[in-house]
Amino acid sequence: MSARYEELKGLKNLGQKYAYTDREVMLYAYGIGLGADPMDEKELAFVNEGTLTPRPLKVVPTFASVAAWGSGPGEMNLNRVMVVDGERDITFHQPLPVAANITADSSVLEVYDKGKDKGVVISHQTVLKNEKGEKLATLVASRFARGDGGFGGPNLTQPDPHRIPSRSPDKTIDITTRPDQALVYRLCGDRNPLHSDPEFAKKAGFPRPILHGMCTYGITCRGVLQTYADYDPSAFRQHVARFSSPVYPGETVTMDLWKDGNVISFEAKVKSRSVTVIKNGKTVLG
């Protein structure tokens, strides 16, 4: 067995400690575009705790993706310039509190070596727990390292993605992004210069900085919130998406959604460039 494969497969980091407050909760909601209309009470509930008439602040379910930003199974020694998000799958065990001290347990699940010059996909898991040791959310991420691979390992095939219904969408919505949205979202933790530094973006093969894949992921959660979840974060049980192409800040994201019982399937595209940016999306409500 390849030593490099064994090295990556064995990465594990347990008991990582983090804390967040309502400030981080509101910043994340604003970072994915909620609150653009300052008079929309449903969206304000995620970015404003209320003053004259106090109200509980709501937490966007996918805030789980940044609640323990920086946690992970360990140093993977990859070519950072060539690393992009492949897929994200979050299972929600209970609604996230507005503020909390949490721990994160991270481990590599599997390594899919696509061959020399074809890259490698690394699937890793992080379990968030509250101070009582109860699970809050389980995050499974797939990281596509385009500049690595070819070191060998078992000949494995990635699991098949969620299948989108063949019928026409039940709903289609447009969600606009701001030209400065990546500069706001990066304050949630992801300081990768690919999203803020024009020179770095060009070195990575993009004409200008791109929106974080995880911001687009949050935008799809927002889309389900406003259509089939009635802005109720506690309705979310799972949210899955596969990244297929980047969004540039300022573009409009068009979401197609299909409802089958408690399962919402979705895809997202940027019509102005005729590209699909999110594929095989699935939200489970309950």
Side-chain angles (χ1 to χ4, degrees):
M1 190 65 69
S2 161
R4 177 64 169 142
Y5 171 83
E6 295 288 357
E7 174 193 355
L8 290 169
K9 188 69 162 53
L11 289 176
K12 182 179 294 186
N13 193 356
L14 307 180
Q16 303 161 86
K17 296 185 182 299
Y18 291 87
Y20 66 85
T21 68
D22 62 351
R23 180 185 184 278
E24 287 75 30
V25 165
M26 289 186 281
L27 178 61
Y28 176 81
Y30 180 65
I32 64 171
L34 286 165
D37 179 354
M39 297 300 290
D40 185 333
E41 293 287 343
K42 290 182 177 180
E43 293 198 359
L44 279 175
F46 293 89
V47 294
N48 185 335
E49 65 276 19
T51 303
L52 294 179
T53 304
R55 63 171 172 235
L57 186 68
K58 292 183 177 182
V59 184
V60 178
T62 50
F63 171 72
S65 63
V66 299
W69 177 256
S71 62
E75 178 55 54
M76 296 183 184
N77 296 311
L78 303 170
N79 181 350
R80 186 183 179 195
V81 175
M82 301 295 284
V83 174
V84 294
D85 272 317
E87 186 174 354
R88 201 61 102 249
D89 179 347
I90 302 182
T91 297
F92 308 99
H93 304 293
Q94 57 180 291
L96 294 172
V98 172
N101 293 304
I102 59 176
T103 59
D105 295 337
S106 303
S107 58
V108 170
L109 296 175
E110 195 49 85
V111 179
Y112 304 93
D113 188 354
K114 295 181 175 294
K116 186 173 177 58
D117 300 323
K118 294 182 180 179
V120 60
V121 175
I122 303 168
S123 175
H124 55 94
Q125 172 181 281
T126 296
V127 180
L128 304 183
K129 299 178 182 178
N130 62 20
E131 289 184 288
K132 296 179 181 179
E134 300 168 334
K135 289 183 180 180
L136 294 171
T138 297
L139 295 70
V140 176
S142 292
R143 184 178 303 185
F144 181 34
R146 297 174 295 160
D148 294 87
F151 49 78
N155 185 18
L156 301 174
T157 301
Q158 291 178 257
D160 291 334
H162 172 66
R163 183 173 295 180
I164 298 298
S166 57
R167 68 180 188 273
S168 297
D170 298 322
K171 285 184 185 290
T172 297
I173 60 173
D174 289 330
I175 299 177
T176 59
T177 65
R178 299 185 306 273
D180 65 344
Q181 193 144 350
L183 299 179
V184 175
Y185 185 84
R186 74 191 298 263
L187 301 180
C188 296
D190 189 347
R191 299 290 187 91
N192 186 338
L194 177 61
H195 310 293
S196 60
D197 187 326
E199 182 181 10
F200 190 95
K202 288 179 180 178
K203 184 177 180 181
F206 299 99
R208 57 192 175 98
I210 62 176
L211 193 63
H212 304 68
M214 290 307 297
C215 183
T216 305
Y217 178 76
I219 287 171
T220 62
C221 177
R222 174 187 166 194
V224 177
L225 267 174
Q226 73 184 59
T227 53
Y228 291 113
D230 194 28
Y231 288 95
D232 179 9
S234 69
F236 281 69
R237 297 291 177 268
Q238 186 183 24
H239 191 70
V240 185
R242 177 171 288 196
F243 307 104
S244 57
S245 189
V247 174
Y248 290 96
E251 293 184 321
T252 296
V253 175
T254 299
M255 277 187 74
D256 291 329
L257 303 102
W258 295 260
K259 186 178 188 300
D260 294 286
N262 65 335
V263 175
I264 311 301
S265 303
F266 61 86
E267 290 195 334
K269 65 190 74 170
V270 173
K271 288 183 177 179
S272 62
R273 290 189 289 118
S274 300
V275 295
T276 298
V277 296
I278 293 288
K279 291 183 176 180
N280 309 108
K282 179 180 75 171
T283 301
V284 179
L285 302 176

